[in-house]
């Protein structure tokens, strides 16, 4: 048995089987005991860590249950969990816990021992440093951020600083050893990531500068050194200063820039697939660019394949550019920072034939000379991975002079012109709106692959037979990768290296909320991982958009509107909209309709990982704002606050279209927020939100697959806060749900529980409402034999003083039910009584009673009386001031006229109903 904590928590048997606990608190307990292996951990400390300092009174008993489950899980040789006094002890070999194994390797390598002081510039380490293999093995144990899903924020906050510090010290010591062996370049990538994450550690930057210098990458070394020094408030320390001096004094420091060209054309990448529509759009854009001189802008999220697309298109289109192709990697989103335009211009000038010794010194002179050399040339300029318009502007050629287009002596479609018009193609994960506005850029947004192209990409790596054997698993795998080419290639590479795995195995691994994203990590020599690609985008954000993106990681949905984002960030909507636009600009979000922003699942998980780094207080406060926001919005739809109609779910009927559309968008997020509120002790908010969601399930016609899970979570929360009125409401929700699923016996049992809870709460009005909701559900299900006796009882109860205010509604409901059941005579009796009672009540009740009487008269065949009664309902409806109710009275009249064949009058009434409804929506 092995316990892995350096990444997502995992428990592995010796045969490789994974048996990781799914419950977060159980993972927190296991992680705590594993970190303190062979040490007794007190019960009080465990309770504090497992419940993040907010333990319920039942925590001690619950802890015993978790311990018992872990004992059963660890019931094999290697690790033993036992009781020791007032605590628990996990005993075993430290090498079976990767974090302890990491510490052991670091100790053997001498990292835990203080290093002797050495002056800057001292002799390099021995070429065959025995610490190198130990430290390489130690650092390879990391599979991602340590304890990322351990289930305890407190445990992470107390453990991570030490682990992070030791990891950085190990990396520093490994760099020292590799530098002594002349292999410093091997560690440049890892050091760059670490230095970007910890920019204040001068020793780390010094090691990176030396490794880059040793690998001959002196421009990058100088850039890292300059940035590090710029961040300091004083002079650099001796080690960083010495590293910078060594890099500056290197023999290749002043070597001229190399000419900038596209990589030499070779055999096309056999894994590239699809994109025929995009190639056609590039061809069309080329024709337009030749005529106008406007740059072509290919944009899309990280990993979507912008560079690959352009390179393949260039290979197909080189005949259009007899004067050649210039190419520059602008490094716009590189951790080392974007390239300076002056450096790019130097490479372009060399490629255009300018002697190295004659390169202009100033950026302005280089820009002028560059444009002079471009004049009249029929060539293509590819500017890859641009960061901003400011970086691009000096690299754009002058536009063609007037008359140099198709109407003059210039080019026709698809040709680079007789005089010569350079064509510029820019790729960027930024939308670069300034380029579109200032230079008329021709946008070509690049989306993810379609289902067929994604399957073809997998087949080109894995072989057609392997993909064809599991078509559904292949589709699931592509969906788990968001159909993103980078993610698909990484997934395919993982499967190609494991021929014994099925596509379904990897699809299931990617579906894991906690560890799926880590599965798409890159390799040392292959493409960067999805997380790294997103890191490169995230780190370019200013503080305010970065904070909003992190807070959005607490939102569980795929689509976020401005109001929800504003609630999470505690900002005004206008300011929030500005920040959302910044995130949309770099494809971390996509504004699908005004004010609504979608994000891919991989981005959502990445944001959730960033949110996990927030402090407990920040996270809880933001979640409270999110919960409060959803409570406020659902209250508007479910408690009469909706302006489109006097509609409440308790009264039956369908929800307004606006409520239904909102619920369709937000349903999955609402479900997750209910569970989140319950887990974080917001029980009152949890049951209220669950109850309102249940009302929306009942009335919107939305898919009801998850209705029961939401209601049961709310019922647990109601019991937790000992609120009997809440228990009554949630038990009623369950009863209605069971009616919906034709489980009528269970529905009756739930109704009895709801009524008993209402009685315990001493709320007769609530008791009546619970029974009325279930009666309405039975009626909608066609169970008249069960609905009518219950409704008759409700009328009797409404004649008592306790709930007398509901008599009109009870009578009209019973009358309408009798009409549906084929008993219009008794229905008219109850409707007439409702009309008499309503004369002393509110205008709305009079309208409802009159409508009910019209329906009963119509069912009796008394058509003229029914029409006159319906017209009376319309007249009454106009006096109430409720446009929704007025609309429904016009609708009833239209229905009656239509059944009599009076279609013209019916159409007029239908238009009046629509006008009334529209007036309410305004």
């Amino acid at each position: 048995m092995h316990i892995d904590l350096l990444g997502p928590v995992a428990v592995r048997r010796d045969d490789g089987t994974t048996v990781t606990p799914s419950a977060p608190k159980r993972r927190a307990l296991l992680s705590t005991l594993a970190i303190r292996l062979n040490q007794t951990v007190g019960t009080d400390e465990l309770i504090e860590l497992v419940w993040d300092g907010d333990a319920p009174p039942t925590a001690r008993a619950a802890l015993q249950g978790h311990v018992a489950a872990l004992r059963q899980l660890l019931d094999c040789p290697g690790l033993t969990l036992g009781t020791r006094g007032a605590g628990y002890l996990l005993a075993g070999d430290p090498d079976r816990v990767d974090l302890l194994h990491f510490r052991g390797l670091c100790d053997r390598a001498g990292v835990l021992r203080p290093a002797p002081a050495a002056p800057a510039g001292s002799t390099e380490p021995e070429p065959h440093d025995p610490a190198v293999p130990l430290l390489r093995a130690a650092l390879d144990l990391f599979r991602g951020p340590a304890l990322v899903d351990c289930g305890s924020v407190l445990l992470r906050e107390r453990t991570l600083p030490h682990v992070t510090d030791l990891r950085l010290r190990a990396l520093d010591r490994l760099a020292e050893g590799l530098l002594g062996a002349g292999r410093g370049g091997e560690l440049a990538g890892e050091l760059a990531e670490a230095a970007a994450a910890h920019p204040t550690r001068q020793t780390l930057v010094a090691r990176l500068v030396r490794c880059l210098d040793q690998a001959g990458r002196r421009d990058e070394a100088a850039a890292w050194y300059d940035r590090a020094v710029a961040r300091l408030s004083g002079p650099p320390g001796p080690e960083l200063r010495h590293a910078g001096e060594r890099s500056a004094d290197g023999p290749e420091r002043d070597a001229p820039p190399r000419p900038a060209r596209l990589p030499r054309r070779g055999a096309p990448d056999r894994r590239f697939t699809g994109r025929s529509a995009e190639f056609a759009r590039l061809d069309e854009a080329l024709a337009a660019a030749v005529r106008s001189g406007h740059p072509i802008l290919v944009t899309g999220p990280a990993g979507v394949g912008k560079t690959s697309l352009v390179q393949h298109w260039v290979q197909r289109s080189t005949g259009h550019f007899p004067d050649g192709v210039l190419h520059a990697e602008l490094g716009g989103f590189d951790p080392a920072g974007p390239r300076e335009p002056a450096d790019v211009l130097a490479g372009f000038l060399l490629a255009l034939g300018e002697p190295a010794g004659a390169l202009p010194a100033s950026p302005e002179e280089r820009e002028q000379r560059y444009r002079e050399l471009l004049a009249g040339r029929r060539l293509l300029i590819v500017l890859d991975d641009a960061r901003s318009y400011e970086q691009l502007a000096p690299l754009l050629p002058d536009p063609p002079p007037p008359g140099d287009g198709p109407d003059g002596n210039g080019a026709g479609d698809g040709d680079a012109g007789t005089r010569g018009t350079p064509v510029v193609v820019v790729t960027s994960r930024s939308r670069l709106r300034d380029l579109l506005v200032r230079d008329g850029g021709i946008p070509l947004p690049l989306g993810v692959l379609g289902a067929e192209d994604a399957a073809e990409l997998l087949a080109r790596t894995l072989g057609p037979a392997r993909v064809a054997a599991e078509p559904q698993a292949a589709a699931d795998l592509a969906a788990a990768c968001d159909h993103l080419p980078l993610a698909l290639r990484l997934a395919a590479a993982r499967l190609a290296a494991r021929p014994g795995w099925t596509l379904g195995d990897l699809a299931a691994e990617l579906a894991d909320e906690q560890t799926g994203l880590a599965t798409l990590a890159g390799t040392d020599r292959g493409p960067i991982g999805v997380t790294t690609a997103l890191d490169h985008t995230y780190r370019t954000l200013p503080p305010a958009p970065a904070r909003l993106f992190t807070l959005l990681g607490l939102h569980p949905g795929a689509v976020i509107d401005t109001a929800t984002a504003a609630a999470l960030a505690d900002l005004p909507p206008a300011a929030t909209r500005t920040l959302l636009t910044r995130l949309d600009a770099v494809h971390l979000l996509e504004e699908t309709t005004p004010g609504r922003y979608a994000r891919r699942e991989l981005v959502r998980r990445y944001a959730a990982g960033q949110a996990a780094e927030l402090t407990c207080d920040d996270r809880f406060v933001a979640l409270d704002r999110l919960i409060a926001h959803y409570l406020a919005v659902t209250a508007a739809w479910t408690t009469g606050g909706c302006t489109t109609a006097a509609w409440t779910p308790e009264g039956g009927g369908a929800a307004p279209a606006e409520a239904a559309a909102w619920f369709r968008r937000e349903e999955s997020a609402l479900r997750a927020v209910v569970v989140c509120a319950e887990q974080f002790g917001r029980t009152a908010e949890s049951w209220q939100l669950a109850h309102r969601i249940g009302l929306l399930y009942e009335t919107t016609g939305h898919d009801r697959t998850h209705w029961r899970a939401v209601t049961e979570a709310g019922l647990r929360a109601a019991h937790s806060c000992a609120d009997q009125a809440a228990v009554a409401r949630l038990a009623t929700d369950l009863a209605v749900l069971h009616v919906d699923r034709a489980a009528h016996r269970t529905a009756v049992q739930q109704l009895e529980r709801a009524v008993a809870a209402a009685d315990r709460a001493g709320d007769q009005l609530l008791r009546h409402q619970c029974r009325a909701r279930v009666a309405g559900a039975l009626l909608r299900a066609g169970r008249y034999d069960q609905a009518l006796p219950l409704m008759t009882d409700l009328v009797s109860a409404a004649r008592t003083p306790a709930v007398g205010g509901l008599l009109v509604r009870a009578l009209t409901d019973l009358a309408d039910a009798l009409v549906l059941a084929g008993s219009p005579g008794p229905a008219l009796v109850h409707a007439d009584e409702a009309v008499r009672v309503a004369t002393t009540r509110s205008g709305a009740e009079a309208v409802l009673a009159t409508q009910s009487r019209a329906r009963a008269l119509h069912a009796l065949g008394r058509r003229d009386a029914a029409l006159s009664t319906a017209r009376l309902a319309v007249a009454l409806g106009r006096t109430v001031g409720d446009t929704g109710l007025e609309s429904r009275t016009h609708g009833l009249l239209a229905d009656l006229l239509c059944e009599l064949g009076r279609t013209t009058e019916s159409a007029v009434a239908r238009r009046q109903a629509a006008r009334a409804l529209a007036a309410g929506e305004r």
Side-chain angles (χ1 to χ4, degrees):
M1 186 73 75
H2 296 266
I3 300 174
D4 296 335
L5 305 176
L6 299 179
V9 174
V11 181
R12 296 176 292 111
R13 292 199 174 104
D14 290 343
D15 63 1
T17 307
T18 301
V19 289
T20 309
S22 58
K25 287 182 171 51
R26 204 160 292 167
R27 290 199 302 271
L29 175 61
L30 177 65
S31 301
T32 303
L33 293 169
I35 291 169
R36 304 272 289 277
L37 190 74
N38 299 320
Q39 301 176 44
T40 299
V41 186
T43 301
D44 290 341
E45 183 180 359
L46 287 172
I47 289 173
E48 181 189 18
L49 291 171
V50 171
W51 276 271
D52 274 326
D54 189 20
T58 58
R60 193 171 297 271
L63 181 68
Q64 293 171 353
H66 289 311
V67 169
L70 287 183
R71 280 180 175 148
Q72 186 175 4
L73 178 74
L74 301 172
D75 186 20
C76 59
L79 294 169
T80 305
L81 177 55
T83 304
R84 293 292 186 277
Y88 298 93
L89 180 143
L90 182 64
D93 181 357
D95 284 351
R96 290 184 174 271
V97 179
D98 63 351
L99 192 152
L100 303 183
H101 186 38
F102 168 68
R103 286 179 182 166
L105 290 169
C106 289
D107 187 29
R108 290 167 55 193
V111 175
L112 300 183
R113 296 188 293 274
S122 60
T123 307
E124 296 283 358
E126 293 295 326
H128 304 292
D129 189 342
V132 167
L134 295 172
L135 293 170
R136 184 68 276 168
L139 291 168
D140 285 345
L141 292 172
F142 282 85
R143 298 166 293 111
L147 298 165
V148 67
D149 62 343
C150 71
S152 170
V153 175
L154 274 180
L155 180 63
R156 292 196 78 216
E157 289 178 348
R158 294 179 184 181
T159 307
L160 273 187
H162 169 73
V163 175
T164 301
D165 180 70
L166 185 57
R167 185 182 189 183
L168 294 177
R169 287 164 60 191
L171 188 63
D172 179 75
R173 179 67 180 82
L174 177 59
E176 183 182 350
L178 290 174
L179 282 165
R183 298 160 51 198
E186 295 179 16
L187 208 58
E190 288 177 71
L191 283 169
E193 287 192 15
H198 305 277
T200 60
R201 293 183 76 121
Q202 292 191 40
T203 304
L204 205 61
V205 180
R207 292 280 192 260
L208 173 59
V209 169
R210 291 180 58 196
C211 286
L212 290 169
D213 181 66
Q214 192 176 75
R217 298 158 63 179
R218 291 187 169 81
D219 286 341
E220 294 177 62
W224 273 102
Y225 175 78
D226 292 342
R227 277 198 302 275
V229 171
R231 290 191 184 102
L232 299 176
S233 58
E239 189 166 2
L240 179 58
R241 185 179 67 251
H242 175 65
E245 291 169 351
R246 285 185 53 162
S247 178
D249 292 341
E252 299 179 31
R253 177 68 176 156
D254 299 319
R258 290 181 294 174
R261 300 184 183 90
L262 269 176
R264 183 171 20 178
R265 182 176 181 178
D269 184 349
R270 67 181 183 86
R271 296 172 301 173
F272 187 88
T273 184
R275 300 298 195 190
S276 55
E278 287 80 359
F279 282 139
R281 287 162 57 199
L282 273 170
D283 289 340
E284 293 173 4
L286 170 62
V290 166
R291 290 193 297 269
S292 64
H294 296 162
I296 300 170
L297 175 59
V298 181
T299 61
V304 81
K306 302 177 290 295
T307 299
S308 185
L309 171 74
V310 170
Q311 288 185 353
H312 278 74
W313 176 75
V314 169
Q315 290 174 358
R316 293 160 38 125
S317 308
T318 50
H320 294 295
F321 310 107
D323 292 327
V325 178
L326 296 177
H327 176 271
E329 298 270 3
L330 300 186
F333 293 83
D334 193 283
R339 290 183 65 188
E340 292 295 331
D343 294 339
V344 178
L345 286 169
F348 280 169
L349 290 173
L350 290 173
L352 292 168
E354 194 78 352
L359 289 179
S362 72
E364 294 77 11
E365 291 173 331
R366 290 183 181 184
E367 185 178 343
Q368 180 181 351
R369 182 57 180 152
Y370 166 67
R371 291 193 167 121
E372 290 171 356
L373 292 174
L374 288 180
R377 297 200 188 217
R378 297 165 61 188
L379 52 75
L380 174 68
I381 305 165
V382 178
L383 304 174
D384 198 18
D385 191 24
R387 173 75 166 270
S388 64
Y389 180 78
E390 289 70 25
Q391 185 189 27
L392 283 172
L395 308 177
L396 300 177
D398 288 327
D404 198 32
D407 297 328
N409 298 322
D413 287 357
D415 193 338
T418 51
R419 284 194 63 248
T421 302
V423 172
V424 177
V425 177
V426 178
T427 74
S428 180
R429 63 188 70 177
S430 170
R431 298 187 193 274
L432 292 176
R433 292 185 175 93
D434 283 352
L435 184 68
L436 304 181
V437 173
R438 299 186 187 185
D439 289 271
I442 304 169
L444 200 157
L446 189 60
V448 298
L449 294 174
E452 291 184 4
D453 288 342
E456 177 64 19
L457 190 154
L458 292 172
R460 292 197 178 188
T461 300
L462 303 174
R466 194 171 176 187
V467 174
E470 298 181 77
Q472 185 56 53
D476 293 343
L477 182 60
C481 291
D482 281 338
H483 293 88
L484 192 70
L486 172 62
L488 285 164
R489 291 189 178 203
L490 290 165
R494 188 168 173 81
L495 280 171
R498 295 163 178 82
W501 286 20
T502 66
L503 275 69
D505 291 335
L506 185 57
E509 185 179 11
L510 288 172
D512 188 281
E513 177 74 18
Q514 301 295 332
T515 63
L517 192 57
T519 302
L520 298 175
T523 59
D524 292 339
R525 298 179 181 275
I528 62 173
V530 171
T531 300
T532 304
L534 291 170
D535 274 337
H536 291 176
T537 305
Y538 175 73
R539 289 173 182 170
T540 66
L541 295 173
R547 174 182 177 271
L548 176 61
F549 179 80
T550 299
L551 289 171
L552 293 180
L554 297 171
H555 188 280
V559 178
I560 306 162
D561 60 26
T562 303
T564 305
L568 264 173
D570 196 23
L571 291 172
T576 305
R577 186 71 181 269
T578 300
L579 298 180
L580 289 167
T581 301
R582 296 291 296 269
L583 299 178
D584 170 78
V586 291
H587 289 89
L588 289 174
L589 298 176
E590 181 174 356
E591 189 172 15
T592 53
T593 57
R596 289 199 187 95
Y597 298 83
R599 56 183 172 179
R600 301 186 314 279
E601 174 62 12
L602 295 176
V603 174
R604 186 195 67 77
R605 292 189 188 182
Y606 175 81
Q610 297 300 317
E613 301 297 326
L614 293 168
T615 66
C616 273
D617 287 346
D618 286 346
R619 191 161 58 252
F620 286 161
V621 169
L623 284 171
D624 284 341
R625 291 195 298 263
L626 179 64
I627 294 167
H629 166 74
Y630 277 131
L631 282 172
V633 176
T634 53
W637 298 130
T638 59
T639 58
C642 174
T643 59
T644 59
W647 165 84
T648 56
E650 292 88 345
E658 188 179 352
W662 180 86
F663 187 55
R664 277 196 301 274
R665 293 192 304 271
E666 299 286 346
E667 184 261 351
S668 63
L670 287 166
R671 282 191 279 115
V673 171
V674 167
V675 175
C676 179
E678 181 198 5
Q679 290 177 341
F680 285 97
R682 275 56 174 178
T683 51
E685 292 84 354
S686 178
W687 78 253
Q688 290 176 51
L689 191 55
H691 173 57
R692 292 172 187 174
I693 293 172
L695 297 175
L696 289 167
Y697 275 125
E698 181 182 353
T699 55
T700 60
H702 185 77
D703 175 55
R704 298 173 175 181
T705 303
H706 302 287
W707 185 2
R708 180 169 183 171
V710 170
T711 304
E712 288 177 342
L715 188 57
R716 287 195 304 270
H719 280 297
S720 295
C721 57
D723 187 333
Q724 292 303 317
V727 171
R729 289 183 171 89
L730 271 299
T732 303
D733 291 342
L734 274 179
V736 173
L737 181 153
H738 287 305
V739 170
D740 181 72
R741 298 183 178 180
H744 300 109
R745 184 182 300 244
T746 308
V748 170
Q749 293 170 349
Q750 285 293 343
L751 177 58
E752 290 171 352
R753 295 188 182 103
V755 169
D759 288 342
R760 288 193 296 273
D763 192 335
Q764 292 301 304
L765 183 60
L766 176 60
R767 186 183 201 275
H768 186 96
Q769 290 171 340
C770 293
R771 300 175 76 214
R773 275 195 66 209
V774 175
L778 289 167
L779 190 65
R780 290 193 299 275
R783 300 296 300 224
Y784 305 133
D785 57 327
Q786 293 177 285
L788 290 173
L790 184 53
M791 288 181 160
T792 302
D793 287 346
L794 287 168
V795 169
S796 298
R799 297 186 192 282
T800 65
V803 289
L806 297 178
L807 179 57
V808 172
R809 188 58 189 256
L811 286 166
T812 57
D813 285 347
L814 179 56
D816 291 341
L818 287 166
V819 168
L820 292 173
S823 301
L828 183 59
V829 173
H830 292 298
D832 285 342
E833 183 183 359
V835 170
R836 289 194 300 274
V837 175
T839 57
T840 62
R841 303 285 179 83
S842 70
E845 288 192 334
V847 176
L848 293 171
T850 306
Q851 287 178 330
S852 184
R853 187 172 190 275
R855 283 189 283 266
L857 287 168
H858 181 75
L860 284 168
R862 296 166 60 180
R863 306 300 169 84
D864 290 339
L867 280 178
S868 62
T869 304
R871 289 192 171 98
L872 175 60
V874 168
L876 291 171
R878 291 194 180 107
T879 68
V880 173
D882 185 327
T883 55
L885 185 58
E886 182 185 347
S887 173
R888 290 201 296 278
T889 62
H890 285 294
L892 171 62
L893 179 60
D895 291 341
L896 297 182
L897 289 166
C898 184
E899 289 194 26
L900 293 175
R902 296 160 67 170
T903 55
T904 302
E905 295 174 81
S906 175
V908 171
R910 197 79 68 194
R911 286 195 294 272
Q912 290 174 326
R915 280 197 294 270
L917 190 61
E921 290 174 346
R922 289 195 297 270

